Amino acid sequence: MIAPGKPIYVELPIRTNMEALWMHTQSPKLHREWDLRFSDIEYLPRRDGEARQRFLYRTRIGFGLSVSGTGVSRSYPAGPGEERLSTLRFGSEQPISLIREGGGYWRYKPEADGIVFITRYDYRTRFGEPGVLFDRLLFRPLFGWATAWSFDALRIWLERRIPPAATIRLALVHYISLLLLASLWFCQGLVPKLLFPDSGDAALLAATGWFPAGAERSWTAALGIAEIALAGLLLARHRDKRSYALQSLLLVVLTGAALIARPGLLSEPFGPLTLGAAMLGLGLVAAWTAGDLPSARRCRRHPRAR
């Protein structure tokens, strides 16, 4: 029998006041702005004297499909400077929903320079052991990452006044630029230098006069490996602007060497100058958008030891 996954836990300190954090998490209109897990949240009217808040939620999963469900929350606001708590039960009757039912809480813990925002929740799945296995291997890690990423998007909203919609657009621009840039470095290292060195790159290195005669192929292969390694560095250190400075320097050196060795390359429509300028532009865009990206790694993912 496959054991179910551990409960999802996320903790993040946010430099804000209690009222602002409470409003941005308890208002459905504001909540759905920053939380990747929900496309829509709608509160249902409360009955007379009812302390609990019933609500409907919906999450788009692509291809025109969505998963909807119902939930019940209860808030426990406290006085100034005291910890607050909000509990939650949720579930879905849709057959396509992996989550059958679950529950958890939000804690708001005041500290000297802000509020520590904490959540812990768990759920039961459908589809028997295949559902448990799919949840443990893929869905639960992705759901936990989405929770942590959303918490950091909320932090950026409250601390830096950047709305989540703008943050998401910046993230899309950053990752598209990054993937294109890394792909170009990888292809430039693999195809003309490792797979087809006789296509012209070895001859171009020989024309620079920087390398001993007869060693051009070895240096071409070494340069190809270095360019592939640079692609990996950009992906691994994409938040570090020094990575983009390094790739820009290498671009200038390689493009300049190619044009000095063969000035006729300037007349080619897709020559080194055109490619180098495009890669330099992608690097500038990726570096410019790297500063305010949410990161799930900023969150603590396990409870503190007592």
Side-chain angles (χ1 to χ4, degrees), residues 4-236:
K6 295 181 179 180
I8 294 172
Y9 180 90
V10 177
E11 174 184 327
L12 181 67
I14 301 177
R15 293 192 302 272
T16 187
N17 60 71
M18 180 68 79
E19 296 307 321
L21 181 58
W22 186 263
M23 180 178 66
H24 282 73
T25 54
Q26 296 295 322
S27 165
K29 182 179 179 180
L30 296 176
H31 181 189
R32 63 173 176 252
E33 290 290 318
W34 58 266
D35 201 331
L36 291 180
R37 298 169 298 172
F38 302 103
S39 304
D40 194 23
I41 304 170
E42 179 185 353
Y43 277 1
L44 298 176
R46 287 185 177 181
R47 303 184 182 95
D48 291 340
E50 187 177 20
R52 301 180 303 170
Q53 175 64 64
R54 295 174 296 118
F55 64 90
L56 304 175
Y57 69 85
R58 183 169 63 91
T59 302
R60 288 189 291 268
I61 58 177
F63 307 103
L65 299 176
S66 63
V67 172
S68 60
T70 59
V72 178
S73 66
R74 183 165 184 173
S75 301
Y76 300 86
E82 297 180 5
E83 182 175 310
R84 297 186 182 184
L85 180 70
S86 178
T87 59
L88 172 72
R89 296 293 302 176
F90 57 90
S92 175
E93 298 296 330
Q94 280 189 284
I96 64 172
S97 174
L98 177 66
I99 295 177
R100 183 187 298 275
E101 62 179 3
Y105 63 78
W106 280 349
R107 286 179 61 194
Y108 306 74
K109 186 178 178 182
E111 289 197 342
D113 58 348
I115 310 296
V116 178
F117 189 34
I118 304 169
T119 188
R120 184 183 185 276
Y121 62 94
D122 201 1
Y123 52 82
R124 294 195 301 125
T125 60
R126 285 187 170 85
F127 315 124
E129 292 212 355
V132 174
L133 181 63
F134 176 77
D135 174 66
R136 185 164 186 174
L137 295 180
L138 182 62
F139 185 82
R140 189 173 293 254
L142 183 61
F143 214 46
W145 172 88
T147 304
W149 195 96
S150 299
F151 269 42
D152 202 40
L154 174 62
R155 178 192 65 82
I156 292 172
W157 193 7
L158 291 170
E159 292 183 358
R160 301 180 62 84
R161 301 297 187 265
I162 302 176
T167 299
I168 292 172
R169 286 195 295 268
L170 283 175
L172 288 174
V173 170
H174 175 80
Y175 286 112
I176 290 172
S177 302
L178 172 68
L179 291 175
L180 288 174
L181 183 61
S183 298
L184 287 171
W185 276 115
F186 180 82
C187 292
Q188 286 297 307
L190 178 66
V191 178
K193 295 179 178 66
L194 295 181
L195 298 181
F196 304 102
D198 293 328
S199 60
D201 276 33
L204 190 58
L205 285 183
T208 63
W210 294 356
F211 307 98
E216 295 84 4
R217 289 179 66 92
S218 298
W219 281 103
T220 301
L223 181 58
I225 293 172
E227 291 180 346
I228 292 173
L230 179 58
L233 175 67
L234 289 169
L235 292 174

